[in-house]
Amino acid sequence: MKKDDPGKLLRLFKAVNLLASNKRGYTVKELAEKLQSSWRTVYRDLEIIEKTGFTLSRNTITKRVHLTRAEDWSESVGFKKEEAEIVKQAILGMEPGSLKDIVLAKVEMLSGNSVEINVLKNARKSIVFGKLMDALKQKKQVKLVDYQSVSSNSVSTRLVEPFDFNDGVTSVLAYEPASKMNKHFKIDRILEVVVTDYLWQNEVHHKKEKVDLFGVSGEKTELISWEMGNLSNTMLREEYPRATPFIKALDNGIYLFSAEVYSFKAPMRFVLGLLDDVEVKSSASFKKQLKEKLKKTKIV
């Protein structure tokens, strides 16, 4: 391991934990997004993981990678209940700030007892929400410290004017002066909120945009639908709870999903991960983009 890459071991731990905790596995692109690394780095990490003794299975159709015998991983390095309690108390005693969150993130990667760790995460989430609510009431600008953006694969501090929350209170709707756009910022991806002394400067531009069940906003929706089996039905409900009202049970364990969406990106990612269990019915443009995606996708 290079001396100038102190985060490599942590990244490898996180990669193994991700592969072991998701039955569907991940594509190299998805791992790169979650690990905030390049595709090339992920390929190298996968090679290291295999050389270390772990067995990886690869689906040549969906291009997903999965860690087999995940129980060996969890039993060897996972925290027991008593250990998790000690770690929790230690972290609670730390001063608030970035270091506390970094330690929390490291422990979470290695902990099999997510309940103990989630207590701490929810505490931070409550503080973030409380500050956003105060800023909204006072009509003040805030800084979203170290916001993790999946779309741009970056971590940065964003100056915004928060003015609403989504229905599930999982994200805050805010106007960003730098981009001159109204955006949804996931509360879980905000490390810290700093309320400034400056009042809103762009209230005239504040506009609450509608989002689809995948959390995407846009100008025009399109109806898509597919039939799926029990596995896909369960996965869709777990990953996107707001999809539940749009799922209808048919005969013989088959389910029909039909909904209006602003973007094909998220539903395409879901369908491509479960090709053997999903049959797309509409729309024609959705089918076309799926076929084009399959042609361009390289086998890992």
Side-chain angles (χ1 to χ4, degrees), residues 84-127:
E85 179 62 27
I86 293 174
V87 173
K88 185 188 77 171
Q89 294 302 325
I91 297 177
L92 284 174
M94 295 176 64
E95 290 293 327
S98 299
L99 180 60
K100 181 174 182 178
D101 290 292
I102 291 172
V103 175
L104 177 59
K106 290 182 178 181
V107 173
E108 184 179 19
M109 290 172 200
L110 300 176
S111 177
N113 192 339
S114 60
V115 175
E116 298 291 341
I117 300 303
N118 282 335
V119 169
L120 300 177
K121 289 186 67 176
N122 289 335
R124 188 187 74 181
K125 184 176 179 180
S126 297
I127 294 174

Side-chain angles (χ1 to χ4, degrees), residues 266-280:
M268 277 179 59
R269 186 165 56 241
F270 179 84
V271 170
L272 290 172
L274 293 160
L275 286 176
D276 296 335
D277 200 47
V278 175
E279 181 180 350
V280 178

Side-chain angles (χ1 to χ4, degrees), residues 9 37 40 48 51 62 73 94 136 145 192-193 206 222 234 242 248 266 272 287:
L9 181 58
S37 303
R40 184 176 298 178
I48 294 174
K51 289 179 180 179
T62 65
W73 159 255
M94 295 176 64
L136 193 153
V145 180
E192 183 183 356
V193 172
H206 294 185
E222 186 163 346
T234 301
R242 294 177 60 193
K248 179 182 179 182
L272 290 172
K287 288 183 177 181

Side-chain angles (χ1 to χ4, degrees), residues 138-196:
Q138 298 175 45
K139 294 188 176 184
K140 286 189 173 182
Q141 294 183 338
V142 303
K143 291 181 180 179
L144 306 182
V145 180
D146 288 353
Y147 181 75
Q148 300 178 17
S149 173
V150 174
S151 58
S152 62
N153 191 26
S154 63
V155 177
S156 60
T157 296
R158 318 280 281 269
L159 178 68
V160 300
E161 298 178 357
F163 60 88
D164 205 349
F165 294 92
N166 69 337
D167 294 337
V169 197
T170 56
S171 64
V172 60
L173 179 57
Y175 180 81
E176 185 178 42
S179 63
K180 298 181 180 180
M181 294 176 62
N182 291 299
K183 298 181 178 180
H184 286 268
F185 295 91
K186 291 283 188 179
I187 294 178
D188 283 339
R189 298 176 189 162
I190 303 172
L191 177 63
E192 183 183 356
V193 172
V194 176
V195 181
T196 73

Side-chain angles (χ1 to χ4, degrees), residues 234-252:
T234 301
M235 296 299 295
L236 184 60
R237 292 172 187 269
E238 289 181 351
E239 292 187 25
Y240 302 101
R242 294 177 60 193
T244 300
F246 303 95
I247 300 174
K248 179 182 179 182
L250 303 178
D251 297 327
N252 303 319

